[in-house]
Amino acid sequence: MARHEAPPRTPATLRAAALGLVMVLLVACGGNAQSAPPSQPAAPRQEAGAFPVTIKHAAGESRIEKAPARVVALSTGWVDATLALGVVPVAANRWSTTQPVFAPWNAGLLKESTTTPINTVADISVEEIAKLRPDVIFGSYQVTSNKGLYAALSKIAPTIGIIGADNQDGTWQEILLTVGKVLGKSTEAQAAVAKAEAALAGVPTTYPGLKGKTVQYVVLRQPGTVQAGAKANDHLVRFFQTMGLGPAPGLTALEAKDGETGFLSYEQLGALDGDLMFIGGFSDEEMTAFEKSELFKKIPTVRDGTYLVLDAEKIGAMRTPTVRNIPYLLDAMKPALEKAGKA
């Protein structure tokens, strides 16, 4: 499956690059300025005194005068936060080149007949978005980093860039709370954050044996290299920490020594000494070949059977935790959590 997400230069960038996912160009919609406007969704219910509101982000500031009815969301985090607050976007980033067009955990909520899929890996079509007449645009890293594109979209509607510090995308909590402000649903957003965090925090209760355990995620790169991380600002590291799982000690030590754990050579696989491992690769063939190698068999989690191979769809979701894919991820992770919880 080919994943579709324009990657910011952050610990979360590998959701496209690490999985070797390739998008095809979409043909911009035809028509002319005389065509009938899209049907207007009902404006979402809003909290009193919620507007106007100014949102600060990596590309500047955006002022929202009233609750937007027509929303364009150009990254998975924005899409999921919008859906979590009861608003179906008129356009959303494509998840894949084939099926599903949209993220699998949103099946039934997003349909091509009502939500236009937008290619955010190749050049984003300003004209295609303009025809949708959005009230607000939640932008991707590509939108944020391309001043010309950001300016063009801002002429259509208030456009919000990525919201994390140091040119990094925000956490799923920050994204959800920002969307709550934009939609005039801050209280609802806060409740959704609390509910999702409670689900994660409840993992050690469900699997008591996980207490004090450590975890590592591994993404196969080009031959001879894997990606694994222990950075404190890595969204996936934070995701695991919410479940009470710390990073592998070997990765933490490597991070302290070299200041970087993004890419490891096969000679550094000894740093993968956590109690639990989630691993995925470019293809099933590549993963199968790696599993047969002696280097793979020496990893402690492999020896103990506390590892889980995830397909591209699931490892991509794991690289980008959102308020809506957390239940999907917990279900996918269940076999390994159960095994490690008993070890």
Side-chain angles (χ1 to χ4, degrees):
M1 187 196 79
R3 178 96 190 285
H4 175 61
E5 183 90 8
R9 291 171 297 189
T10 76
T13 54
L14 292 169
R15 56 182 177 267
L19 301 175
L21 305 171
V22 180
M23 290 300 303
V24 295
L25 290 171
L26 299 177
V27 180
C29 298
N32 55 53
Q34 301 302 317
S35 60
S39 58
Q40 185 75 4
R45 296 174 61 182
Q46 66 189 62
E47 299 168 2
F51 298 98
V53 63
T54 298
I55 303 297
K56 295 182 179 180
H57 49 84
E61 295 184 357
S62 299
R63 181 180 172 90
I64 315 297
E65 298 293 342
K66 61 180 181 179
R70 301 183 63 82
V71 173
V72 167
L74 299 179
S75 76
T76 300
W78 292 129
V79 172
D80 283 13
T82 302
L83 288 171
L85 297 180
V87 175
V88 177
V90 296
N93 65 295
R94 284 189 70 106
W95 172 259
S96 75
T97 54
T98 55
Q99 294 295 329
V101 172
F102 300 117
W105 53 88
N106 290 329
L109 288 179
L110 293 178
K111 300 178 181 179
E112 290 183 71
S113 59
T114 53
T115 299
T116 300
I118 300 293
N119 178 8
T120 57
V121 169
D123 292 338
I124 294 174
S125 172
V126 175
E127 294 76 15
E128 185 176 18
I129 292 175
K131 290 175 183 177
L132 297 170
R133 302 189 182 184
D135 298 316
V136 68
I137 300 169
F138 292 105
S140 61
Y141 176 77
Q142 183 182 356
V143 172
T144 306
S145 60
N146 186 325
K147 293 182 179 180
L149 178 59
Y150 176 78
L153 292 176
S154 295
K155 291 179 181 178
I156 299 170
T159 300
I160 299 169
I162 59 175
I163 57 172
D166 300 323
N167 210 29
Q168 297 179 6
D169 204 357
T171 64
W172 65 266
Q173 295 98 325
E174 291 169 333
I175 290 172
L176 181 54
L177 294 175
T178 298
V179 172
K181 292 178 182 178
V182 172
L183 298 180
K185 295 187 172 188
S186 288
T187 300
E188 190 174 337
Q190 291 165 3
V193 167
K195 181 178 179 180
E197 288 183 337
L200 293 172
V203 168
T205 300
T206 304
Y207 309 105
L210 289 178
K211 184 177 181 180
K213 295 291 180 70
T214 58
V215 64
Q216 62 224 8
Y217 68 88
V218 179
V219 180
L220 299 187
R221 297 285 301 202
Q222 61 270 23
T225 306
V226 302
Q227 187 217 359
K231 288 181 177 293
N233 62 350
D234 186 313
H235 293 340
L236 191 48
V237 171
R238 291 176 175 177
F239 173 74
F240 287 131
Q241 286 176 331
T242 308
M243 293 186 284
L245 295 167
L251 290 176
T252 301
L254 194 61
E255 177 74 26
K257 178 182 177 182
D258 300 334
E260 179 61 60
T261 54
F263 302 100
L264 306 180
S265 67
Y266 282 178
E267 290 71 25
Q268 294 175 301
L269 292 184
L272 302 178
D273 58 355
D275 302 301
L276 180 62
M277 178 173 71
F278 297 97
I279 184 169
F282 280 125
S283 65
D284 291 341
E285 293 76 14
E286 183 184 38
M287 188 63 234
T288 298
F290 186 60
E291 283 186 279
K292 293 179 179 178
S293 71
E294 291 302 316
L295 288 169
F296 180 78
K297 295 174 183 178
K298 291 180 180 179
I299 298 174
T301 53
V302 175
R303 181 193 62 226
D304 299 338
T306 55
Y307 76 99
L308 182 66
V309 176
L310 298 174
D311 59 26
E313 183 177 279
K314 293 181 178 64
I315 202 76
M318 184 174 281
R319 293 295 304 139
T320 317
T322 74
V323 64
R324 282 194 51 78
N325 73 15
I326 286 173
Y328 173 86
L329 288 173
L330 290 178
D331 184 64
M333 295 163 61
K334 186 175 180 180
L337 293 175
E338 289 180 336
K339 185 68 179 290
K342 296 176 181 178

